């Protein structure tokens, strides 16, 4: 079956602009996670959705970052007033029901802020 | 502060030999540990996991060992194959320091494994 997909695969933007990154999880997976991977680092947790609600947003670095999952499927990560330090690969993962269920990752969106 | 540490950025092994990747953690509240493998331009792929109630879990060529007293785990790959060449991430989960959910994973920085034919 289809895995986790993310669009766009690459996004180049200018400092100060707004960007949206999209994640399509595996069908039927209720849990969805966003991570950010900077160069030379491991993935860093941002936010976790269970269904439509954000169960844990403790990893969002500041209020410029926001994510939604209005119908419990597709999720959008929104970044306002982008900064050069936001440049990273943004990874999305989904799992069947959260907890210790295996997280399946998408290929990521590489964001470059000039 | 890195709660999950992979101190070796890279490892080179001959095909057919054993690869041993190491990982240390600092948070005693972690109770579930995983290894993910990542190829360039792809997302991480789950490899193997272990609960803190066990000290060993085996799946084919892959074995994970957990030493809770030392807060250390290792991944053994035997025999190593050229297709195993990738970046390996150690990850952990449990009750987070701020009391958050168990769902989110805390990753190390990764170890790049090269298996030479």
């Amino acid at each position: 079956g289809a895995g986790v997909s993310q669009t766009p695969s690459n996004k180049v933007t200018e400092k100060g602009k707004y960007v949206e990154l999209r994640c399509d999880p595996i069908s039927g997976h209720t849990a969805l996670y966003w991570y950010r991977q900077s160069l030379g680092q491991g993935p860093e947790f941002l936010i976790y959705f269970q269904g439509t609600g954000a169960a844990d947003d403790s990893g969002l670095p500041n209020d410029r970052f926001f994510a939604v999952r209005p119908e419990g499927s597709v999720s959008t990560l929104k970044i306002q007033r982008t900064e050069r330090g936001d440049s990273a690969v943004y990874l999305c993962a989904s799992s069947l029901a959260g907890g210790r269920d295996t997280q399946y990752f998408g290929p990521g969106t590489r964001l470059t802020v000039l | 502060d890195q709660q999950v540490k992979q101190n070796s950025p890279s490892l080179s092994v001959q095909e057919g030999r054993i690869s041993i990747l190491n990982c240390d953690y600092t948070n005693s509240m972690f109770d579930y540990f995983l290894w993910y493998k990542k190829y360039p331009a792809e997302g991480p792929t789950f490899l193997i996991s272990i609960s803190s109630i066990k000290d060993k879990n085996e799946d084919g060529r892959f074995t994970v060992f957990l030493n809770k007293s030392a807060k250390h785990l290792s991944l053994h790959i035997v025999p190593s194959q050229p297709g195993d060449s990738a970046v390996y991430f150690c990850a952990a989960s449990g009750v987070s320091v701020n009391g958050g959910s168990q769902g989110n994973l805390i990753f190390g920085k990764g170890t790049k494994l090269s298996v030479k034919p």
Side-chain angles (χ1 to χ4, degrees):
Chain A
V4 177
S5 63
Q6 293 186 245
T7 54
S9 54
N10 278 285
K11 176 72 177 177
V12 180
T13 190
E14 293 179 344
K15 179 174 179 290
K17 299 287 190 183
Y18 168 83
V19 296
E20 289 190 352
L21 311 178
R22 176 186 167 112
C23 172
D24 280 87
I26 293 172
S27 178
H29 280 194
T30 64
L32 185 146
Y33 306 81
W34 284 98
Y35 293 83
R36 173 170 73 173
Q37 185 176 12
S38 301
L39 197 62
Q41 305 294 316
E44 176 190 16
F45 169 76
L46 296 177
I47 187 169
Y48 155 51
F49 286 91
Q50 183 58 255
T52 60
D56 183 354
D57 64 358
S58 61
L60 294 177
N62 51 60
D63 61 6
R64 295 188 298 106
F65 289 75
F66 189 71
V68 295
R69 195 185 184 200
E71 297 177 358
S73 178
V74 170
S75 176
T76 305
L77 178 66
K78 308 180 180 195
I79 311 174
Q80 298 178 323
R81 303 183 306 280
T82 52
E83 299 177 357
R84 293 196 179 89
D86 298 335
S87 296
V89 175
Y90 288 81
L91 294 162
C92 176
S94 71
S95 74
L96 188 59
R100 292 184 177 181
D101 289 346
T102 299
Q103 294 185 29
Y104 297 89
F105 282 81
T109 293
R110 180 174 296 279
L111 175 66
T112 303
V113 181
L114 301 176
Chain B
D1 247 17
Q2 280 271 306
Q3 296 187 69
V4 176
K5 300 176 186 180
Q6 294 177 257
N7 292 320
S8 298
S10 63
L11 174 68
S12 183
V13 170
Q14 205 67 33
E15 180 179 7
R17 306 297 289 267
I18 186 170
S19 296
I20 300 176
L21 298 110
N22 293 302
C23 177
D24 297 291
Y25 62 95
T26 58
N27 189 339
S28 57
M29 299 300 283
F30 289 148
D31 62 356
Y32 189 59
F33 304 89
L34 310 89
W35 286 92
Y36 275 81
K37 172 180 175 180
K38 187 181 184 303
Y39 293 117
E42 295 183 10
T45 303
F46 171 75
L47 202 52
I48 193 168
S49 63
I50 187 166
S51 166
S52 59
I53 62 173
K54 294 186 173 182
D55 55 17
K56 177 183 173 181
N57 188 26
E58 191 172 351
D59 183 1
R61 297 186 297 114
F62 303 91
T63 303
V64 56
F65 295 92
L66 176 62
N67 182 334
K68 280 177 295 187
S69 61
K71 293 192 178 70
H72 177 84
L73 63 155
S74 60
L75 174 68
H76 292 211
I77 307 173
V78 55
S80 302
Q81 299 173 353
D84 295 330
S85 297
V87 177
Y88 289 77
F89 290 101
C90 173
S93 73
V95 176
S96 62
V97 291
N98 63 359
S101 73
Q102 296 184 10
N104 54 297
L105 300 176
I106 310 298
F107 285 85
K109 291 186 178 184
T111 296
K112 183 175 183 179
L113 173 66
S114 299
V115 180
K116 299 185 186 304

